[in-house]
Amino acid sequence: MQIDELENNIAQDLAVDLLDEFDRNFERKGFFTDKWPQAKLINNKGSLMMRSGNLRRSIEYDVKKNTISFTSSLPYAAIHNEGGEITVTEKMKRYFWAMYKQAKGVQASQWKALALMKVGHKIKVTKRQMVGNHPQVAGIVKDVIDRNMAEFNNELAKQFKK
């Protein structure tokens, strides 16, 4: 095994292990040990981050040289992961009215309140991080490197015995 092959193995193994852990964040309903805040909207369709499962399935990785990138094709992934503000648009208001017409009880009043917001109003989106740096990521990095180095050392020892 060559050094560049070792580096590639570490990067690939790390990407797979981290993707698995980031996926498990949806089961944990939090970013490793940091629980996500409850959604303000009452909804009987399940957890905010797991209603359709699209966000969870959209997370992918790309390994180039020694760099690993995690991305999502969904436009709302970043606002959930980082938090921030979104601006109410006319299209959003139409969606809120449509949801109001379908909803009942408390849910209906929540959708109506959203629909009555003025275009341009800012809605704060609470951070619900699912991908990124965390102390547990450092532990995963160490484990992957240790595992690959042990394998590399075993291969090297076999070469010297020949």
Side-chain angles (χ1 to χ4, degrees):
M1 182 185 306
Q2 301 294 322
I3 295 292
D4 57 339
E5 187 179 351
L6 171 65
E7 289 174 347
N8 185 53
N9 288 349
I10 289 172
Q12 288 293 331
D13 289 354
L14 188 55
V16 170
D17 286 6
L18 287 175
L19 183 65
D20 184 50
E21 284 300 318
F22 294 153
D23 183 69
R24 289 193 59 228
N25 285 331
F26 288 89
E27 294 169 15
R28 291 187 276 257
K29 295 182 181 178
F31 187 57
F32 294 97
T33 56
D34 307 326
K35 294 290 180 201
W36 292 327
Q38 289 289 94
K40 290 180 184 172
L41 285 175
I42 295 171
N43 194 317
N44 58 359
K45 294 182 181 178
S47 171
L48 174 68
M49 301 291 280
M50 285 291 292
R51 294 211 176 118
S52 69
N54 291 341
L55 180 58
R56 183 180 190 176
R57 287 188 301 275
S58 76
I59 299 170
E60 298 176 336
Y61 68 85
D62 185 34
V63 177
K64 289 187 179 146
K65 296 209 177 208
N66 297 330
T67 304
I68 306 168
S69 320
F70 290 90
T71 59
S72 169
S73 59
L74 298 177
Y76 54 85
I79 194 78
H80 278 293
N81 198 54
E82 299 160 15
E85 290 183 343
I86 55 174
T87 304
V88 174
T89 64
E90 196 58 50
K91 185 176 179 181
M92 289 168 69
K93 288 174 62 76
R94 285 193 301 272
Y95 174 78
F96 297 152
W97 280 120
M99 294 305 292
Y100 164 70
K101 290 175 185 171
Q102 293 176 11
K104 294 180 174 64
V106 176
Q107 278 186 312
S109 62
Q110 290 176 330
W111 286 114
K112 183 177 181 182
L114 288 168
L116 291 171
M117 288 181 177
K118 294 189 182 319
V119 170
H121 179 82
K122 304 282 187 202
I123 298 175
K124 185 177 188 268
V125 177
T126 306
K127 179 178 180 176
R128 290 179 176 83
Q129 189 172 7
M130 75 245 22
V131 174
N133 199 10
H134 187 275
Q136 288 188 16
V137 169
I140 294 166
V141 170
K142 182 186 180 316
D143 291 346
V144 168
I145 290 172
D146 289 349
R147 190 171 64 233
N148 277 274
M149 288 303 296
E151 185 180 320
F152 181 75
N153 288 337
N154 289 338
E155 290 289 323
L156 205 54
K158 286 178 189 176
Q159 293 295 324
F160 281 122
K161 285 181 181 178
K162 288 183 180 179

